Amino acid sequence: MEEKKDIQATPQPQKKVLTKEELAKKRARERALAEAKRRYFEFYDDVKHDGAKEW
């Protein structure tokens, strides 16, 4: 006899539900990372264009 696997019998991983505070912290962290990335690329874009200048 073949053993049939019941789909409902296998436990499904539960998705974590974030509270408002956790969601706010996550969004703030993402904003801070995006701002840091923007500043980094803005700085190096300026350096690249200023490379022809004589200092």
Side-chain angles (χ1 to χ4, degrees):
M1 272 190 193
E2 288 185 27
E3 186 178 322
K4 293 183 181 179
K5 289 188 177 181
D6 188 10
I7 294 173
Q8 298 297 331
T10 58
Q12 298 295 325
Q14 296 293 322
K15 206 172 195 182
K16 183 178 178 187
V17 178
L18 298 177
T19 63
K20 287 184 178 182
E21 293 82 16
E22 290 171 332
L23 192 57
K25 285 180 185 179
K26 180 180 176 184
R27 287 181 180 156
R29 185 172 45 251
E30 289 172 352
R31 267 195 309 271
L33 289 173
E35 177 64 18
K37 183 177 179 181
R38 185 194 65 76
R39 279 186 273 135
Y40 172 83
F41 284 108
E42 183 178 302
F43 173 77
Y44 281 101
D45 187 44
D46 289 344
V47 169
K48 181 176 69 174
H49 291 307
D50 291 345
K53 289 184 180 178
E54 292 183 24
W55 297 96

